Amino acid sequence: QPEYRASRCTRFRYRYSGCSRCADACPHEAVELSDEGIKISAAACQNCALCAAACPTEALLADNLPRIEVLKRAAKQPEVTFACAPSESRGDEIVPCLGALDAAMLAYLASRGIAVTLAGTQHCAECAHGARGEAMLGLNLEAAESLRHVAGNDKWAEIAVPDESEAEPDKGGHNSSRRHLFRRPSNGVGGW
């Protein structure tokens, strides 16, 4: 389960904080909130890393998604495919849930010209943490696009998802010729 660092937790540092991002992100109700911070139920936690991705202060660290190491490996490649572990899709990096890839990670890679493909979204409907993970992925993709607009860099690489309707149902893997943008246009203008 994720490591909890109380000294970074908003609820711990500011006892009257209403922050509940980690609990809201957890699809398994494994995060218990209190004025003293949080407690993660080992029995309920399924190590999806969504709580760690939702925490803006990095009070939670997921061992199965070591952000810095993942970014170091991905930054050495011209393109990288992140695959959802429960979907058993193939990828350069296997993550517990695609929703655990936060906007900063996605934007960092795209801004360096590294094409990012997200494989395994066809499994979200069957996954125990799929509904929340899919929602978080959508929010993270929108936030990454907002970061691109703020940065004003039109040379960012694409962040894409393989076309799920053409993917093989089990262990479809990655095929770069079948990419499409996985986002909802906010204003119908522009794009990646």
Side-chain angles (χ1 to χ4, degrees):
Q1 71 189 37
E3 174 190 342
Y4 174 59
R5 301 185 299 176
S7 63
R8 296 187 134 223
C9 180
T10 303
R11 291 189 73 88
F12 177 79
R13 293 180 65 203
Y14 307 101
R15 302 227 181 236
Y16 298 105
S17 170
C19 182
S20 63
R21 286 181 165 198
C22 55
D24 294 342
C26 180
H28 311 292
E29 299 181 14
V31 180
E32 299 172 31
L33 304 174
S34 71
D35 286 344
E36 288 78 38
I38 67 166
K39 180 179 177 188
I40 298 176
S41 166
C45 181
Q46 293 189 22
N47 293 319
C48 63
L50 292 173
C51 61
C55 182
T57 63
E58 295 184 350
L60 292 166
L61 294 176
D63 287 342
N64 56 351
L65 185 58
R67 294 170 45 112
I68 300 301
E69 288 79 14
V70 168
L71 288 173
K72 283 180 184 178
R73 288 189 301 265
K76 295 176 183 177
Q77 304 175 46
E79 62 181 53
V80 63
T81 298
F82 289 100
C84 155
S87 74
E88 298 182 358
S89 295
R90 286 178 253 144
D92 303 307
E93 294 287 339
I94 307 299
V95 297
C97 179
L98 292 173
L101 297 169
D102 63 47
M105 290 178 75
L106 296 170
Y108 173 77
L109 294 170
S111 70
R112 294 181 53 105
I114 300 165
V116 176
T117 301
L118 305 171
T121 58
Q122 71 277 4
H123 182 72
C124 290
E126 304 163 15
C127 184
H129 38 267
R132 293 247 178 104
E134 188 175 31
M136 282 188 65
L137 177 60
L139 292 172
N140 289 334
L141 289 170
E142 287 178 11
E145 183 176 357
S146 294
L147 289 170
R148 183 189 67 83
H149 285 297
V150 168
N153 186 343
D154 293 331
K155 296 181 182 179
W156 280 33
E158 178 183 28
I159 299 175
V161 174
D163 186 352
E164 296 171 9
S165 64
E166 296 176 17
E168 295 174 29
D170 66 330
K171 303 176 189 169
H174 167 66
N175 181 341
S176 62
S177 67
R178 298 181 297 166
R179 291 187 189 182
H180 75 276
L181 187 60
F182 183 78
R183 69 173 174 85
R184 290 186 310 240
S186 55
N187 60 9
V189 179
W192 288 89

